[in-house]
Amino acid sequence: MASTTGNHTIVTMAKSCPIQNVADLLSEARRVYRERFDGDDANIAVCAPGRVNLIGEHTDYNQGFVLPMALPMVTVMVGSKTSGQNCCVVTLTEAADEPRVVDFDLPTELTPLLRGQPNWANYVKGVVQHYRVQPIPGFRAVIASSVPLGGGLSSSASLEVAVYTFLQQLCPDDGDQVAKAVACQQAEHTHAAVPCGIMDQFVSVLGKEGHALLIDCRSLEAIAVPLADPGLVILITNSNVRHSLTGSEYPTRRKQCEEAAVILGKSSLRDATLQDLEAAKDRLDSVTYRRARHVIEEIERTSQAVEALKKGDYKEFGKLMVESHNSLRENYEVSCPELEELVSAALEVDGVFGSRMTGGGFGGCTVTLLQAHATERAMEHIQEKYHGSPTFYITTPSEGARALRL
Ligand code: ADP
Ligand code: MG
């Protein structure tokens, strides 16, 4: 069953997906706000997108290149300033059986906001704590999201960036977009205890409609690369599985990369070449060698992919996607049987240029680049071959975080 909502199409097969377009999310959030807060109307509304990474996986925390795009799926936040020191936030999204309402007092210099329960509220508190203008006024707000939670499309960054964008309406900062992304990344580090790179927050802030974003995670500069060919589709397939390894393996990979950089005498793997790696091979154990190899080659692949995209050479781009996927499986060891099944099935379809796992790994989504006319056929084939229940999203590169008109 396919439904078109604004500028993206969601195809839900076995698993139902409560996706709505931005206008629907906004009106639902406003309705709940009125109901919850004695008939008052929210006077601020913002949204921030999730993202999909086209290529450049596990390179951001190695100061490398990444090539994500912002998605049409967003987190919407509506609300108003209050006169007190208290914040009350409601989420309409179910987050692991946790209460959907949280109340907390604003931080002071002596009493910073600490992590606590419910877990989802830590993303909100983290951004309040790291907001670049303090103190901020109290507020109440309702959050609604069409980004699947824990699916590797970065619902967490979209939530953080939505909160930051909301606070900008309450209490404006200097408008520095990169500093905004960094503050949201800090929030995820300190309050969600996830040592993530900068990619997710960066593209949620700076994403550009009709473009992928080449981000240099060392200089924090970005170039928007056009990606709006109507003959081309970017299909995301959610495996709807997430293995419990995700949490523990990510910091381990980070550490292995840092160790490899130290052994190679570099400040990060961004500065290392394959020649450097080969020269140091006997000083690296085989696992660390393979981790470093993935990162060094993946950074190079990302640059090549941008050149291919600029030339409209989708065949080359697709080939690089497949190489990326194979390296994530063999060298970085972050794939899983479900992702393998989805990628293999996609690659069997005529008109598919390339397919790969996207995000941290061990479940979540794949991203497939294909000719528009092959989309139906690809979804049918993947659905048939996959042993689980996939959800498909036919997406277009979308705009970064923004205020919404009420
Ligand atoms: P991903 O970012 O890939 O979706 P993460 O594990 O990094 O996965 O982040 C998912 C977590 O973010 C959820 O478990 C929840 O705590 C929080 N979260 C994201 N969006 C929302 C939302 N709309 N409402 C409540 N919590 C959310
Ligand atoms: Mg996340």
Side-chain angles (χ1 to χ4, degrees):
M1 194 200 313
S3 60
T4 301
T5 59
N7 58 350
H8 69 302
T9 306
I10 305 109
V11 183
T12 53
M13 311 295 263
K15 188 156 177 132
S16 76
C17 185
I19 293 212
Q20 300 139 315
N21 63 26
V22 178
D24 288 345
L25 285 172
L26 180 61
S27 67
E28 179 62 3
R30 291 178 78 182
R31 188 188 65 72
V32 172
Y33 186 92
R34 265 194 303 273
E35 202 176 272
R36 173 97 205 172
F37 299 113
D38 315 318
D40 275 1
D41 268 318
N43 57 24
I44 295 170
V46 299
C47 74
R51 64 97 188 93
V52 68
N53 191 20
L54 298 170
I55 195 161
E57 211 66 77
H58 287 282
T59 50
D60 64 343
Y61 54 83
N62 288 296
Q63 315 247 303
F65 294 113
V66 291
L67 187 68
M69 62 177 224
L71 290 172
M73 293 93 97
V74 297
T75 299
V76 163
M77 185 164 176
V78 305
S80 304
K81 191 188 282 200
T82 59
S83 53
Q85 291 300 299
N86 184 261
C87 304
C88 179
V89 183
V90 180
T91 178
L92 302 185
T93 310
E94 194 176 324
D97 297 332
E98 295 182 311
R100 296 190 196 181
V101 183
V102 67
D103 256 296
F104 56 89
D105 284 333
L106 290 169
T108 64
E109 254 178 65
L110 293 178
T111 55
L113 269 174
L114 301 176
R115 293 180 62 192
Q117 295 296 327
N119 198 48
W120 67 265
N122 290 323
Y123 296 88
V124 179
K125 290 178 186 170
V127 175
V128 168
Q129 180 68 45
H130 289 282
Y131 189 64
R132 293 172 56 248
V133 179
Q134 300 282 352
I136 59 169
F139 62 88
R140 45 198 202 183
V142 172
I143 292 165
S145 183
S146 56
V147 188
L149 263 61
L153 302 182
S154 216
S155 68
S156 59
S158 78
L159 174 56
E160 290 147 10
V161 174
V163 174
Y164 196 104
T165 310
F166 179 87
L167 297 181
Q168 285 178 304
Q169 318 307 307
L170 270 188
C171 180
D173 68 354
D174 60 8
D176 183 330
Q177 302 270 70
V178 173
K180 173 176 174 178
V182 171
C184 291
Q185 179 197 22
Q186 286 304 314
E188 184 139 351
H189 286 186
T190 58
H191 284 67
V194 179
C196 59
I198 189 68
M199 166 170 64
D200 303 354
Q201 292 81 7
F202 197 106
V203 67
S204 184
V205 173
L206 284 126
K208 197 162 174 245
E209 192 175 348
H211 294 75
L213 208 60
L214 172 68
I215 307 170
D216 180 335
C217 299
R218 181 165 59 185
S219 68
L220 298 185
E221 285 164 347
I223 297 169
V225 187
L227 179 58
D229 185 334
L232 199 68
V233 154
I234 296 143
L235 174 69
I236 297 173
T237 308
N238 194 341
S239 67
N240 288 312
V241 299
R242 192 185 200 195
H243 294 284
S244 54
L245 282 172
T246 321
S248 56
E249 293 288 315
Y250 185 85
T252 310
R253 294 296 181 288
R254 262 198 96 130
K255 218 163 131 249
Q256 288 164 334
C257 292
E258 281 158 19
E259 281 164 14
V262 169
I263 294 170
L264 295 179
K266 308 286 180 188
S267 62
S268 76
L269 287 178
R270 166 69 180 273
D271 296 318
T273 61
L274 271 187
Q275 287 78 2
D276 295 329
L277 182 66
E278 292 310 316
K281 197 167 180 181
D282 353 330
R283 287 182 283 131
L284 293 159
D285 64 76
S286 77
V287 172
T288 312
Y289 170 83
R290 282 185 291 120
R291 303 294 187 253
R293 186 173 176 128
H294 166 76
V295 172
I296 295 168
E297 289 184 338
E298 183 78 356
I299 292 172
E300 179 57 28
R301 265 193 293 272
T302 306
S303 301
Q304 290 170 359
V306 169
E307 290 316 305
L309 200 56
K310 284 182 184 162
K311 283 191 241 148
D313 188 348
Y314 305 131
K315 235 173 130 181
E316 174 65 13
F317 193 96
K319 184 174 141 261
L320 293 162
M321 288 174 83
V322 174
E323 284 174 20
S324 164
H325 180 78
N326 291 341
S327 173
L328 287 161
R329 180 186 61 239
E330 300 296 327
N331 292 324
Y332 223 64
E333 297 181 281
V334 290
S335 188
C336 63
E338 293 84 357
L339 294 172
E340 289 310 308
E341 231 174 68
L342 292 175
V343 167
S344 302
L347 294 177
E348 284 164 3
V349 179
D350 255 6
V352 166
F353 293 113
S355 184
R356 58 183 287 277
M357 57 156 279
T358 183
F362 305 111
C365 293
T366 63
V367 58
T368 303
L369 189 75
L370 73 169
Q371 287 172 345
H373 65 75
T375 313
E376 280 297 322
R377 202 167 60 232
M379 290 190 299
E380 269 169 33
H381 186 71
I382 295 169
Q383 166 88 5
E384 205 178 288
K385 286 291 184 91
Y386 184 49
H387 282 88
S389 312
T391 310
F392 296 107
Y393 308 89
I394 300 166
T395 62
T396 47
S398 304
E399 196 62 22
R402 56 210 182 261
L404 299 171
R405 220 168 339 129
L406 284 172

